[in-house]
Amino acid sequence: MSRFHSSVSRRDFMKALGITGAGIGTAAVASATFNDIDGMITSGAAPKRPWWVKEADKATVEYDWSQIERFDARKVMNSPMGPPQWVSTEEWARVQKIAADNQADWIKAGKPGYTLRDHALYKGAMGGEGSPGVTNYSWLGPQKSPTPEKLGTTPWQGTPEENTAMLRTALRFFGAADIGILELDENVRKLVYTYPRVAPYKRYEFEEVDKGYEDDEKWVIPSKKKLYVVTIISQSSIDGYTTTPSWMQRAASDNTVRLNAGILAATQEFLRTLGYQAMAGHERNALGPAPAFAALSGLGELCRNTQVLTPDYGLMIRAVRLITDLPLAPTKPIDAGIWRFCHDCAKCSEACVSQAIPHDKEPSWDVPGGWNNPGKKVWYVNGVKCQSTREMLTRDCGLCMTACVYTKKDYAGIHNIVKSTISTTGLFNGFFKNMDDQFGYGTEFGPDHNPLQGDFNEGAEDFWVKNMPQFGVNSMIGLKNR
Ligand code: SF4
Ligand code: SF4
């Protein structure tokens, strides 16, 4: 049975925290921000973000644009072209053989999390990735909707702020959780890959033209226009993730990938009818690294496992991005204390089956292998260890995401107290991490307890008797603080 969900009351929480009146006084002195717990939850709610999420001029992670160059995504370990560059042919054949054997054996034996119906859910969630009408990503979109010219009118006009609000409303309506906006300036251009992760391996090119296009060799981004990158995040199901290691966890991820493909196509048609361009990639991880775009546009902060960790949704998101010439207002990076908290936490490292996430207190500028793009001071994940383990677990793992202190069902307000405290002072960081362990959050699986050692998640099949919310997520998260 998963031990993920909290039935901890506010009173229990405060007792565990050991801060009654005097303790809160300590926090208040440290922060000079809140007077009582209810105040911590509700005061100063900004129109767009919880009050404890502050805008910043720079992302909280240290990075150096002078060290960052456009990266060839064919080098990453989850590219079909990645493993042959970093792992011997024999070793990768060994990993693939284990993966194939595990898949067949676990289905036949009906192992929890790996039954035929669990596998079917994963395959269904993928929607036959790339299938026309289901996940048909494309550079310029379906291009079926009318342009303003065809409708006998002129393109939509609004201020950048109005356009951004309009786009956010449309995207939420299409199913997204939130969007972040970056101007595609000289630095941000460096985040656009040279080549994509998966075929077709056409080059991303900037050209002095007005309109984006594609041919057999390249996807062209028009340099003559002022352009913006819109990063779109959508929620994944915690109920799916907490069954991990399992195919339901992968289904939870792919369900969002399928949704995002539809959102991208819908947004491309929306922008086309408004009279603007929208260039997206041809697959889920196209254009450039999602964590970088998302962190720089304030959707979250980079975190220890080098993903973007959001204040509202934790790590339960998948991101896609598109480039448009609709004038937009860039959104600023944020500081919610997340990056600082990761220095004292490392719960994801402890849960990592392959020990691919560093345990060190401090991040580093040193990259462990050519599958990483340098130029940032982070805890670089060992992609070879991670991807090999994901393969052997027959496609995915997700333990780091499930273990994260921020990945919670967030109904009770308890976690808002924790998150708001973290944003204000680092004094309690170690305590909150320990408290998270003691309340039994996250996952009990890890390097010494996982299906590769014969330990399966006996609670995984409870997924099938849950009173599943629509799409498996709470769509009100992120709104209650706004
Ligand atoms: S997905 Fe699994 S193996 Fe990879 S970093 Fe996360 S916990 Fe480790
Ligand atoms: S588990 Fe802890 S260290 Fe890892 S990403 Fe989450 S907050 Fe950061």
Side-chain angles (χ1 to χ4, degrees), residues 106-108 110-125 246-249 251 458-466:
W106 296 349
I107 288 181
K108 206 183 294 172
K111 293 292 185 189
Y114 295 93
T115 67
L116 181 62
R117 70 176 172 182
D118 304 337
H119 193 67
L121 188 79
Y122 148 51
K123 290 295 177 187
S246 74
W247 280 318
M248 281 82 88
Q249 174 272 321
E458 297 293 337
E461 298 304 307
D462 293 349
F463 175 89
W464 292 102
V465 293
K466 276 183 193 278

Side-chain angles (χ1 to χ4, degrees), residues 341 345 347 403-408 415 418 422 432-433 436:
F341 184 77
C345 175
K347 198 166 174 175
C404 180
V405 174
Y406 279 82
T407 299
K408 297 286 180 288
H415 297 111
V418 173
I422 288 170
F432 283 141
K433 191 261 179 180
D436 204 74

Side-chain angles (χ1 to χ4, degrees), residues 244 249 305 307 348-357 381-383 385-390 393 396-403 446:
T244 192
Q249 174 272 321
N305 77 351
Q307 298 184 30
C348 49
S349 317
E350 291 160 16
C352 178
V353 186
S354 63
Q355 294 296 286
I357 307 173
V381 172
N382 187 317
K385 286 185 179 177
C386 170
Q387 193 61 29
S388 303
T389 300
R390 292 176 71 199
L393 285 170
D396 209 349
C397 167
L399 278 167
C400 49
M401 297 169 71
T402 308

Side-chain angles (χ1 to χ4, degrees), residues 428-439:
F428 300 113
N429 284 359
F431 174 77
F432 283 141
K433 191 261 179 180
N434 291 335
M435 191 181 76
D436 204 74
D437 290 340
Q438 293 205 356
F439 284 151

Side-chain angles (χ1 to χ4, degrees), residues 103-379:
Q103 175 166 312
D105 293 348
W106 296 349
I107 288 181
K108 206 183 294 172
K111 293 292 185 189
Y114 295 93
T115 67
L116 181 62
R117 70 176 172 182
D118 304 337
H119 193 67
L121 188 79
Y122 148 51
K123 290 295 177 187
M126 286 180 80
E129 188 163 18
S131 307
V134 184
T135 52
N136 48 337
Y137 304 92
S138 61
W139 185 236
L140 298 176
Q143 300 196 80
K144 304 280 189 204
S145 63
T147 60
E149 192 180 24
K150 188 114 188 235
L151 293 168
T153 187
T154 53
W156 177 264
Q157 300 298 322
T159 66
E161 290 74 20
E162 288 167 345
N163 291 343
T164 301
M166 171 185 71
L167 195 62
R168 179 176 282 112
T169 299
L171 269 286
R172 290 268 312 174
F173 185 75
F174 294 149
D178 205 353
I179 59 172
I181 314 289
L182 278 179
E183 187 183 332
L184 189 54
D185 61 18
E186 284 304 310
N187 282 331
V188 176
R189 277 185 182 207
K190 296 180 185 177
L191 298 179
V192 176
Y193 294 138
T194 52
Y195 286 92
R197 181 185 69 108
V198 299
Y201 296 111
K202 299 199 281 189
R203 193 177 159 82
Y204 294 111
E205 292 274 14
F206 290 90
E207 274 184 17
E208 277 293 298
V209 291
D210 283 315
K211 291 219 175 266
Y213 68 93
E214 68 176 308
D215 60 25
D216 289 345
E217 293 175 355
K218 58 191 184 226
W219 291 294
V220 173
I221 301 166
S223 291
K224 275 192 170 176
K225 291 276 185 142
K226 189 164 188 173
L227 298 171
Y228 301 87
V229 181
V230 181
T231 303
I232 302 159
I233 56 170
S234 303
Q235 281 196 75
S236 296
S237 171
I238 288 187
D239 286 321
Y241 265 85
T242 50
T243 62
T244 192
S246 74
W247 280 318
M248 281 82 88
Q249 174 272 321
R250 179 68 193 197
S253 171
D254 281 338
N255 218 27
T256 315
V257 168
R258 195 187 75 252
L259 172 71
N260 278 347
I263 290 172
L264 272 183
T267 308
Q268 286 174 305
E269 293 303 89
F270 174 68
L271 289 168
R272 175 180 162 87
T273 296
L274 289 174
Y276 295 90
Q277 302 181 63
M279 289 143 280
H282 68 301
E283 62 108 8
R284 57 175 75 188
N285 291 329
L287 276 178
F293 287 120
L296 291 171
S297 61
L299 288 165
E301 292 178 58
L302 219 62
C303 67
R304 183 179 282 268
N305 77 351
T306 60
Q307 298 184 30
V308 74
L309 208 170
T310 67
D312 286 327
Y313 311 101
L315 287 166
M316 291 295 101
I317 52 133
R318 295 297 306 241
V320 283
R321 39 256 167 243
L322 60 79
I323 296 172
T324 183
D325 55 354
L326 175 73
L328 294 169
T331 47
K332 296 188 79 171
I334 58 164
D335 183 352
I338 292 170
W339 179 250
R340 185 177 59 210
F341 184 77
C342 285
H343 286 66
D344 294 320
C345 175
K347 198 166 174 175
C348 49
S349 317
E350 291 160 16
C352 178
V353 186
S354 63
Q355 294 296 286
I357 307 173
H359 290 252
D360 311 77
K361 166 108 176 156
E362 289 297 325
S364 167
W365 292 97
D366 300 329
V367 292
W371 56 83
N372 294 110
N373 196 3
K376 52 200 181 293
K377 190 179 179 189
V378 298
W379 292 277

